[in-house]
Amino acid sequence: MRNLLLFIILLCSFQAIIGQSKATTDLYDTDQVKEIRLTFKQQNWSNVLDSLRINGSNLLVGQARIDGKTHKNVGVRYRGSRSFKVGSKRNPLFIKLNFIDKKQNHQGYKKIKLSNSLRDPSMVREVLGFEIARKYMIAPKANYVKVYINDAYYGLFVSIEAVDKEFLEEHFISDDRTFFKCTPDFTNYTSKDCMPNVFGSLVYEKDVHCYLHNYELESDEGWDDLIALTDVLNNKPEAIESVLDVDQTLWMLAFNNVLVNLSSYSGHKSQNYYLYQNEKGQFTPIIWDLNLAFGSYKNATAGSDLSLKELQELDPMLHIDNKYKPLISQLLKNPTYKKVYLSHLRTILYDNFENGWYEERATALQKLIAGPFVDDSNQRYTYRDFQKSLTGTVGTKSKIPGIVELMAKRSNFLKKYQMLRVIPPNISDVTVLKREQYASVKLDKFTISATVDKLPKKVWLYYRYNKMDSFKELEMQDNGKLQDKQVNDNIYTATIPKGSDEVEYYIVAENSATISFSPSNYMFKPYVANITEIN
């Protein structure tokens, strides 16, 4: 009896821990479909939200119950431009948890943005796209949510982390620097002093009024900073690293191209990204709005829609000579930046597509949401469209490509693309020199070695002692010293100067045609060495 009682106590404790774990999973956990229940006093809440959306930016006060936790006096409105329709039973939603109580939040999140996946019958594009982006860039989280309004099932939505003050604090430490949303106003704005149809492309114009309808200022001030960025980018590109995080920009451009994400800077209207100025004075792009990725939006220029074959064979050098796309044309004029861009293209391709990972992940996501999708009577697409949309085109007018239909052939095209066929230097056996057994003197510096083949021209070690610092550069040598056994044996070494007990580092190798990095997602998960571990 005593043993039985002990077993019951342990079982209850285990169940309590499991329940607590489930309750505290992140709001954007991609392995769960979350639940949000909104309650409004108004029975005609849909008409009220329509009116508020049309006539301004006011919010309707209600209550939100998120995964069982109640938040009172939240503000709600419809969001979206093309995805919003008066009278629609499935409009996207914006929820401001701190609308009345400025401290109210859910796990630190104060705003919730729900997408109705316009022109994405698969409902996979945003969640899969952001998951890939976060491997290489600062990008929002995204997952799925079932929404109920006044106890009636409103539908299955994609929940995308807001790029707000909390997001900036998490990724940039500060939230008070210059911040822009690059979402052009597509109304017929004309001025004799401004260039027409440049959208958010970052072309340089002297008059600040020429920027007002293409960029939305999210900080208190910063127009001069934006104009300075465009001036350097277009007129003094040799100084671009003083005002732009070039590496993050090249990742974004590579991502847009591989995923055929043309409702972006890389497409016709140079839109759907943020710019935030980091503590070094460099603007960092933050990608946004991926429901039209994977070829759902088909305009690379002002011309007609690209065909499926043209989307599958979209040129990695798209816009390289386009002066109205200076992030591409100006950056890729630099031979090193061009090599890095191609390296990033290759990394995204082989990490996610050439190995078939994207198809497995998309299938798993659809399996996760199949039930809530079927239960959603307000869906614009049928369950048959949902199933077909991974492998085949859906629709006779918009013709939304199947994700696998597009990316299987695109992957094959990119693999054979001349500039990507060049084999990059292979970096392997990255090690840190450890103190020899019985040695009396402890090591106080880090000596790093790596094997690099495929005829590298140069090999560099980048290191930093603090996450807030910039990486410093050391050239690695194949000179037969330290861990390198002999000259020209493809083992490269470098010793990091004494500075701290822990260091982050990554390795870059360049040959005549391309560049490779180790690890490939070096900015987020660099190698780490600790002085205790090597002694």
Side-chain angles (χ1 to χ4, degrees), residues 262-522:
L262 296 178
S263 183
S264 69
Y265 183 91
S266 302
H268 171 39
K269 294 181 177 178
S270 302
Q271 61 182 330
N272 291 329
Y273 67 103
Y274 291 88
L275 284 171
Y276 184 69
Q277 190 181 51
N278 63 26
E279 71 284 352
K280 303 168 192 171
Q282 301 168 313
F283 277 103
T284 301
I286 303 166
I287 205 160
W288 179 251
D289 203 350
L290 297 180
N291 64 291
L292 300 180
F294 297 103
S296 184
Y297 182 84
K298 305 176 182 68
N299 296 111
T301 63
S304 58
D305 284 2
L306 298 177
S307 67
L308 176 59
K309 188 174 188 295
E310 289 172 323
L311 294 171
Q312 291 165 336
E313 298 180 359
L314 189 72
D315 189 351
M317 293 294 116
L318 178 71
H319 300 306
I320 192 169
D321 296 318
N322 186 349
K323 66 179 180 180
Y324 298 112
K325 295 282 188 182
L327 272 185
I328 299 174
S329 57
Q330 290 289 72
L331 291 182
L332 298 192
K333 282 181 183 177
N334 181 305
T336 299
Y337 295 162
K338 186 176 179 180
K339 287 182 180 181
V340 172
Y341 168 73
L342 289 169
S343 173
H344 292 350
L345 272 167
R346 184 183 179 91
T347 296
I348 294 171
L349 172 66
Y350 282 88
D351 280 0
N352 304 284
F353 297 98
E354 183 58 24
N355 58 8
W357 174 86
Y358 79 101
E359 183 176 0
E360 293 178 8
R361 185 59 176 149
T363 301
L365 290 172
Q366 281 209 322
K367 184 178 180 180
L368 175 71
I369 61 174
F373 184 96
V374 171
D375 293 340
D376 185 355
S377 61
N378 297 324
Q379 264 290 346
R380 295 177 180 176
Y381 296 101
T382 66
Y383 184 58
R384 183 182 178 188
D385 291 334
F386 173 77
Q387 291 178 306
K388 180 183 177 182
S389 59
L390 287 189
T391 56
T393 296
V394 172
T396 55
K397 187 177 179 181
S398 57
K399 294 184 178 179
I400 302 166
I403 294 175
V404 178
E405 175 186 38
L406 172 72
M407 294 307 302
K409 289 190 176 180
R410 173 140 190 79
S411 178
N412 192 50
F413 167 78
L414 290 174
K415 184 175 65 172
K416 295 178 180 178
Y417 187 78
Q418 183 61 40
M419 294 183 187
L420 294 172
R421 287 174 61 185
V422 179
I423 300 175
N426 181 49
I427 305 171
S428 62
D429 300 325
V430 178
T431 57
V432 186
L433 177 66
K434 294 186 177 182
R435 182 165 62 127
E436 293 183 3
Q437 192 175 15
Y438 308 122
S440 58
V441 180
K442 287 188 175 183
L443 298 176
D444 61 359
K445 298 177 183 178
F446 300 99
T447 297
I448 313 297
S449 73
T451 300
V452 186
D453 57 17
K454 308 302 181 189
L455 302 176
K457 185 170 65 175
K458 284 186 178 180
V459 180
W460 297 276
L461 175 70
Y462 287 82
Y463 71 95
R464 67 182 181 189
Y465 297 115
N466 189 298
K467 290 183 181 296
M468 295 304 298
D469 294 339
S470 298
F471 281 95
K472 296 180 180 179
E473 176 185 316
L474 279 175
E475 186 169 356
M476 301 183 77
Q477 304 289 340
D478 181 3
N479 55 12
K481 297 180 180 179
L482 301 172
Q483 288 170 284
D484 185 5
K485 303 301 181 184
Q486 61 185 39
V487 177
N488 297 328
D489 61 355
N490 294 330
I491 297 176
Y492 290 77
T493 64
T495 298
I496 298 172
K498 183 178 180 180
S500 178
D501 287 346
E502 187 169 275
V503 66
E504 294 184 340
Y505 67 97
Y506 65 93
I507 296 170
V508 181
E510 179 184 7
N511 62 21
S512 59
T514 188
I515 284 177
S516 58
F517 297 83
S518 183
S520 60
N521 57 346
Y522 51 92

